[in-house]
Amino acid sequence: MGLDVRAFLALTSAGFRRWSTYRQATAAAVFTNSVFGFLKTYVLLAVALGAGGAAVGYDGPMLVSFVWLGQGLIGVVMLWGWTDLADRVRTGDVVADLLRPVNPLWTYLAADLGRAGYATLTRFLIPVAVGLVYFDFFLPTRPASYALFTVSVALAVLVSFTFRYLVNLTAFWLLDVRGVMLLAQLMMGALSGLYLPIRFLPDWCENVLWYLTPFPSMLQAPLDIYVEYGGIGTQLAIVSGQLAWVVVGFTACGWLQRRAAWKLVIQGG
Amino acid sequence: MLSAYTRLLVAQIRSQTQYRLSFLADVVSTCLMSLLDIVAVLVLFRVTPALGGFSGRQVLVMAAMALLAFSLSDLLVGNVERLRFYIRTGLFDVVLLRPLSALGQLLVIDFAPRRTGRVVQALVILAVALFLVDIDWSVARVAILVVTPLAGSLIFASIFVAGATVAFWWVESGELANAFTYGGRDFTTYPVSVYSGWFRRLFAYGLGFAFVAYYPALFLLDVPDPLGAPIWLGWGTPVVALLAMTVAACVWRTGVRHYRSTGS
């Protein structure tokens, strides 16, 4: 089940255009993400101040860019609310996806990359600009950090996509995925470094998250690379970890999708 | 009248419990979600000994009071958030046609029983937080402890209603209201002294969030405000709640009058 490059790019640009029509929703999301940006910045700056200037190796400017880049990446990585596939499973439309001569995993991926591209231009850039204007924002000292950050964001989108796809696939068994979705969103928010840098957690907890869950690879990874937490060695290790999760994610999606196709019950008919 | 609401309520509860596994995941995640705010406070105090001039235990009292007020309002009016869904799909026409109050119906149709668990959880957390600090109990302090969460929940409820009303003008307002509802919850979790500039002025005084937990907690703990506000402001919560409700009611009425069906 191949998918040629032209079809993939066409789907990607369709994804981009689809999301570019949701202008009101994008504006509302940018506004909300920015308000939360202010909130988190003040709290984390107070933490750094209380801890004597730096909290677990993050000083004020590092925390500022951690917060604002994170707020911008919420939309790009799409930590919340993607139920396209699950909705189609519930209505039975997914049959059409499975009948096409291309694997739906790749068509949904293409569309998601288009979405992420649009989000980068809007939901990422605007909050980051707000953060740059209002606060003392950390800028990387090594040029390589910018390149690594870009790679890391792309990998984060892939890791997040595979996780969201897996959660959506559970609809084949559960039909109503609201509860599972809520649980998944909760984990993506709490364990990815969005609420707090996960380095604030006890060491054992942090290690479990980095090595045994994909969540830090979705957000904390690019943020730590940008603020140059540790040297270039640490940055490369973070990217390799993300790569590993991309491989694990796509393998799991392929496997579960085959199982799901076996299990398929057509609703309604 | 009452039985009509009760039937809508029972139907809602029954439909929610149909998909058992999903309902269970729903309950678990809602409980975890409210615990998360408290866990966040604990994690932050692993890293720092003080936040905005307050100790971990003091902040925990504020966070618990904020959580209780928020959970109460979320239970009562949280599903008013669904208004934009009703407007987009045209279901709001149905709501308006019935001989019941539009707001009342909205609150009942999507009533989420799982949210009662959150209120209980918040009560337990508040009890623990109060146990961990030294409070010189008096009649005034007990009174403030009882009145504040109720009045605070009315402040949140007003924000919920006013925020949802935006959908009358701006259907795809999406998460806009979240900035003030959930944003307000996060804001009230921490002492006001943490924030600064226009952001503090807007959230703490403009929207009244300083009265949900911060000022009453200062009164309970008998700690002066590092920002210099008088201690009796702890009594201000009901007054602010009344003001907020008046504004929210006006906004809601204007919104309903402004409503034009989407035609779908």
Side-chain angles (χ1 to χ4, degrees), chain A residues 177-188:
Chain A
V177 292
R178 274 175 299 181
V180 181
M181 200 67 79
L182 204 60
L183 201 58
Q185 288 171 6
L186 187 73
M187 288 194 287
M188 285 171 102

Side-chain angles (χ1 to χ4, degrees), chain A residues 118-199:
Chain A
Y118 177 70
T120 307
L121 297 180
T122 51
R123 294 190 55 181
F124 177 73
L125 287 182
I126 301 170
V128 171
V130 173
L132 269 166
V133 169
Y134 277 94
F135 295 98
D136 183 10
F137 204 92
F138 177 87
L139 298 172
T141 51
R142 298 188 294 267
S145 297
Y146 288 100
L148 282 168
F149 173 70
T150 313
V151 172
S152 179
V153 169
L155 291 172
V157 172
L158 293 177
V159 175
S160 148
F161 169 77
T162 54
F163 182 73
R164 283 180 280 128
Y165 199 83
L166 282 173
V167 173
N168 272 258
L169 280 175
T170 62
F172 279 98
W173 289 269
L174 300 174
L175 292 179
D176 178 61
V177 292
R178 274 175 299 181
V180 181
M181 200 67 79
L182 204 60
L183 201 58
Q185 288 171 6
L186 187 73
M187 288 194 287
M188 285 171 102
L191 308 178
S192 66
L194 177 67
Y195 296 157
L196 301 164
I198 60 167
R199 296 191 195 274

Side-chain angles (χ1 to χ4, degrees), chain A residues 8-84:
Chain A
F8 193 88
L9 289 179
L11 286 165
T12 305
S13 94
F16 185 96
R17 273 179 283 119
R18 174 188 160 196
W19 286 83
S20 68
T21 57
Y22 305 150
R23 285 203 199 111
Q24 292 189 347
T26 306
V30 166
F31 175 80
T32 306
N33 291 158
S34 302
V35 169
F36 275 93
F38 280 101
L39 212 117
K40 286 182 195 169
T41 307
Y42 286 121
V43 172
L44 289 184
L45 285 179
V47 170
L49 192 71
V56 206
Y58 295 96
D59 62 13
M62 280 164 88
L63 287 169
V64 166
S65 39
F66 192 97
V67 166
W68 288 94
L69 290 170
Q71 290 305 105
L73 284 178
I74 293 175
V76 178
V77 176
M78 201 178 192
L79 289 172
W80 294 304
W82 184 73
T83 56
D84 287 7

